[in-house]
Amino acid sequence: MGKYEQLCRGEGTGMTPRRQSRLFCRHSVLLLTLAEMEKVKELAKPRVSPNIGWSYAWLGAYEHPMVDKINQRIEDLTGLDVTMAEDLQVANYGIGGQYEPHLDYRQKDEPEEFEDLVEGNRIATWLLYMSDVPAGGATVFTEVGAAVRPIKGTAVFWYNLYPSGEGDYRTLHAACPVLVGSKWVSNKWIRERGQEFRRRCGLQEKD
């Protein structure tokens, strides 16, 4: 059985004390109000594009003041400039909905996609849970042995790139299958451009 399956089963693979000490606690307060989360779902539902096990929609800041307000809140909390960030992606996972282990950043062995990123690579990911999930639906990080259970109104944030700009393979993550209920999340992928004075650069490849 792979790490993905183990973590989804709640068995885990364990984390070293050093890695555990470097993790930040998730906010226990609502980062979005219930009314704001319901508004995001309302805006997304008419335009969701069905996929295997899940569906999604993109919301631009210009489409509704609520989306612009959420983008500003992400900027305030992360300290990163969201001007060049991608639109807010809203996703819904039904029963059995999941997403295999993947990296959010574009790797250098993907030359065509990498060259097209005029706003830079995805430096960071913001993932907000907009529903509780009675069973399943955790976000798992297979390389570090961590699992995050969806709790409505809370978010997970991580850097995909080292300060040097190199990709951090430890961010390999996946969405476990939803066993009971429905999982709503919103993602914000923040790009490198505009962060020059927001995050200090590093000279070492994996600084």
Side-chain angles (χ1 to χ4, degrees):
M1 182 185 297
K3 291 183 180 180
Y4 171 47
E5 290 81 5
Q6 282 183 302
L7 288 166
C8 288
R9 288 169 63 91
E11 296 171 0
T13 58
M15 288 190 293
T16 64
R18 183 172 179 271
R19 281 181 173 174
Q20 205 162 18
S21 68
R22 298 184 69 180
L23 294 178
F24 290 91
C25 292
R26 167 170 61 179
H27 285 279
S28 58
V29 297
L30 290 179
L31 297 175
L32 263 66
T33 66
L34 297 178
E36 288 171 338
M37 286 185 278
E38 289 307 310
K39 185 61 179 180
V40 170
K41 294 178 192 177
E42 178 188 321
L43 292 170
K45 284 178 181 178
R47 63 176 73 180
V48 290
S49 300
N51 209 320
I52 300 175
W54 63 292
S55 57
Y56 65 94
W58 297 94
L59 299 178
Y62 60 89
E63 298 183 66
H64 195 280
M66 180 68 71
V67 180
D68 187 48
K69 182 178 179 182
I70 291 170
N71 288 340
Q72 184 60 55
R73 193 167 304 165
I74 293 172
E75 180 168 314
D76 293 341
L77 287 167
T78 64
L80 297 176
D81 190 333
V82 300
T83 305
M84 294 292 185
E86 296 173 47
D87 287 344
L88 192 70
Q89 186 195 66
V90 182
N92 176 232
Y93 295 76
I95 299 297
Q98 51 88 231
Y99 205 106
E100 294 291 317
H102 63 283
L103 296 164
D104 284 348
Y105 64 87
R106 296 293 185 263
Q107 302 174 70
K108 289 184 178 179
D109 59 0
E110 302 171 303
E112 292 182 5
E113 292 186 64
F114 194 83
E115 290 172 3
D116 288 341
L117 297 177
V118 290
E119 295 90 2
N121 213 335
R122 289 173 170 174
I123 191 173
T125 295
W126 167 275
L127 172 63
L128 177 83
Y129 300 106
M130 299 194 297
S131 67
D132 294 316
V133 181
T139 303
V140 297
F141 295 81
T142 56
E143 291 300 300
V144 297
V148 182
R149 180 185 171 190
I151 299 177
K152 189 173 184 176
T154 65
V156 182
F157 170 79
W158 66 88
Y159 282 102
N160 295 303
L161 308 178
Y162 288 105
S164 64
E166 292 295 319
D168 188 347
Y169 194 75
R170 296 172 301 175
T171 62
L172 187 72
H173 61 288
C176 294
V178 173
L179 303 178
V180 179
S182 177
K183 175 183 173 183
W184 282 92
V185 297
S186 57
N187 304 288
K188 191 73 173 177
W189 286 296
I190 303 171
R191 297 295 190 92
E192 290 178 286
R193 298 295 177 264
Q195 316 310 332
E196 293 83 358
F197 299 103
R198 300 288 184 111
R199 189 194 191 200
R200 173 181 276 180
C201 296
L203 297 178
Q204 300 298 319
E205 181 180 352
K206 295 185 177 180
D207 187 7

